[in-house]
Amino acid sequence: MDERFNLAYEAAVMHFVQGETMESIARRLGVSRSTVSRLVKTARELGYVQISLHPPQELVDTLGSRISQRFGVRTHVVPVPFGANDARRLTAVATMAGILISETVQPNNVVGVAWGNTLSAVMDHLIPKPASGSVVVQLNGAANQISTGIPYAGEIMEAFGQAYGAAVTHFPVPAFFDYPETRSLLWQERSIASVRKLQSQADIAIFGIGAMVGAVPSQVYSGGYLTPEELSGLAAEGVVGDVCTVLLRADGSWEDLELNQRASGPTPDALRQIPRRICIVSGVEKVVPLLAALRAGVITDLVIDEDSAARLQELSKQNESVRGLR
């Protein structure tokens, strides 16, 4: 075992310090490329690799800085190679998000985590670090009429817990209740009330943006959580997406939407009580609901690919011009 740990460290040095490719390292060590990948992963899990990012001073006037100034958030724009497909774009964003989250999480933190396609990608790129006394709590329910949601959401929560040596608290309720009265009664149950209390004590919230439209609709809109009639009704109401399964219109409003009376996730009012709120976005189809989330004030830290960042700035300028003409 000691020999494997030493080999993991050696592979990590060659990869992160010397900049060698997996193929090159495999040839030098006389192992397969998949073995090198496992060795590097082991080195990260054992804490041999600590990654931090320090933007150069000359980037003060970058796209990310302009977004930060416009919306009052800390923005991390992820460069993406020209022509990159959606999977490569998501991997790049998830990698940056994993670094930022691991830099942010500290001992004794309560970390609220949502679920979704983006968080599924992020969980594979967390940088393991000890954060003794920390707790990971699920922010919104994942059950629907065809699934408990436990394997899907549970895998994400467990990955976050393992990365930081944190206890994990699940939230075993539906994403959307059938009736507001049912939600109200269940919120009074002590087992559920204790989870909701822990959610309210979160130091950090981590979530993606759900989009109603796009080449690949977000999990909330494609995973059987809403009926066709409900989806049509939301479109008629002007809903563009969601944060933690709480639905938003383009202007950031949400309070009077009937379905939000049945949603299990934290409202924008509740989210704003959490000091750090990290939102991860990959893909231009998320820009309209992202702008809604920014208008709702639920984000403090944004990780976004550069194409989406450029579209966000363009869209926000267009909206400002329209308001100026009124």
Side-chain angles (χ1 to χ4, degrees):
M1 186 62 70
D2 287 344
E3 182 180 353
R4 180 172 176 81
F5 290 166
N6 291 336
L7 200 60
Y9 178 77
E10 186 177 352
V13 170
M14 285 189 277
H15 181 60
F16 291 106
V17 179
Q18 299 172 359
E20 295 194 35
T21 65
M22 296 291 185
E23 291 80 3
S24 172
I25 298 170
R27 287 195 300 270
R28 290 183 58 180
L29 296 181
V31 298
S32 67
R33 186 187 185 284
S34 60
T35 297
V36 174
S37 179
R38 288 193 294 271
L39 288 170
V40 171
K41 182 179 180 182
T42 297
R44 290 172 59 177
E45 291 174 345
L46 292 172
Y48 298 161
V49 180
Q50 298 291 330
I51 300 175
S52 61
L53 298 175
H54 302 281
Q57 185 62 36
E58 57 267 25
L59 293 183
V60 170
D61 194 32
T62 61
L63 176 60
S65 295
R66 292 193 290 272
I67 291 173
S68 295
Q69 292 169 9
R70 183 179 296 272
F71 296 105
V73 300
R74 289 177 285 266
T75 308
H76 305 264
V77 177
V78 182
V80 178
F82 178 77
N85 60 25
D86 291 341
R88 188 172 180 184
R89 182 186 308 276
L90 179 56
T91 297
V93 171
T95 300
M96 171 70 82
I99 295 170
L100 174 64
I101 291 166
S102 294
E103 287 180 344
T104 304
V105 173
Q106 301 298 323
N108 301 311
N109 276 174
V110 176
V111 184
V113 179
W115 52 264
N117 296 330
T118 302
L119 270 294
S120 292
V122 170
M123 73 178 186
D124 292 327
H125 296 278
L126 299 170
I127 307 299
K129 63 178 279 188
S132 61
S134 58
V135 179
V136 172
V137 60
Q138 184 177 333
L139 285 176
N140 49 324
N144 61 29
Q145 60 183 345
I146 60 176
S147 171
T148 64
I150 292 173
Y152 174 68
E155 183 181 14
I156 297 172
M157 303 305 138
E158 293 298 331
F160 274 81
Q162 290 174 11
Y164 308 119
V168 176
T169 299
H170 299 279
F171 194 35
V173 301
F176 298 98
F177 290 86
D178 289 334
Y179 306 99
E181 296 81 7
T182 307
R183 187 185 75 167
S184 179
L185 288 171
L186 190 58
W187 276 187
Q188 297 177 47
E189 291 289 330
R190 286 178 294 175
S191 59
I192 300 301
S194 64
V195 179
R196 297 191 69 236
K197 181 179 180 181
L198 188 61
Q199 292 170 346
S200 71
Q201 296 170 341
D203 302 287
I204 306 164
I206 302 166
F207 52 89
I209 295 287
M212 282 193 66
V213 298
V216 181
S218 296
Q219 186 75 6
V220 170
Y221 311 102
S222 63
Y225 290 91
L226 299 169
T227 66
E229 293 76 17
E230 287 171 330
L231 290 171
S232 296
L234 293 178
E237 286 267 18
V239 170
V240 295
D242 72 281
V243 170
C244 302
T245 60
V246 173
L247 304 155
L248 300 172
R249 295 189 184 91
D251 63 1
S253 62
W254 57 274
E255 296 94 331
D256 60 334
L257 292 168
E258 186 275 335
L259 197 54
N260 282 340
Q261 305 306 311
R262 301 190 273 121
S264 62
T267 67
D269 286 346
L271 271 180
R272 285 193 295 269
Q273 302 306 307
I274 299 174
R276 292 290 296 273
R277 306 181 296 277
I278 301 173
C279 178
I280 304 118
V281 175
S282 175
V284 293
E285 71 277 1
K286 302 287 186 73
V287 171
V288 170
L290 168 60
L291 184 55
L294 288 165
R295 288 170 172 163
V298 299
I299 299 169
T300 62
D301 298 75
L302 174 63
V303 182
I304 185 171
D305 68 273
E306 59 182 334
D307 293 337
S308 299
R311 178 58 182 151
L312 173 62
Q313 183 176 346
E314 177 186 349
L315 185 61
S316 62
K317 284 183 177 179
Q318 290 175 356
N319 290 343
E320 285 182 1
S321 297
V322 170
R323 286 197 298 270
L325 294 174
R326 291 175 179 171

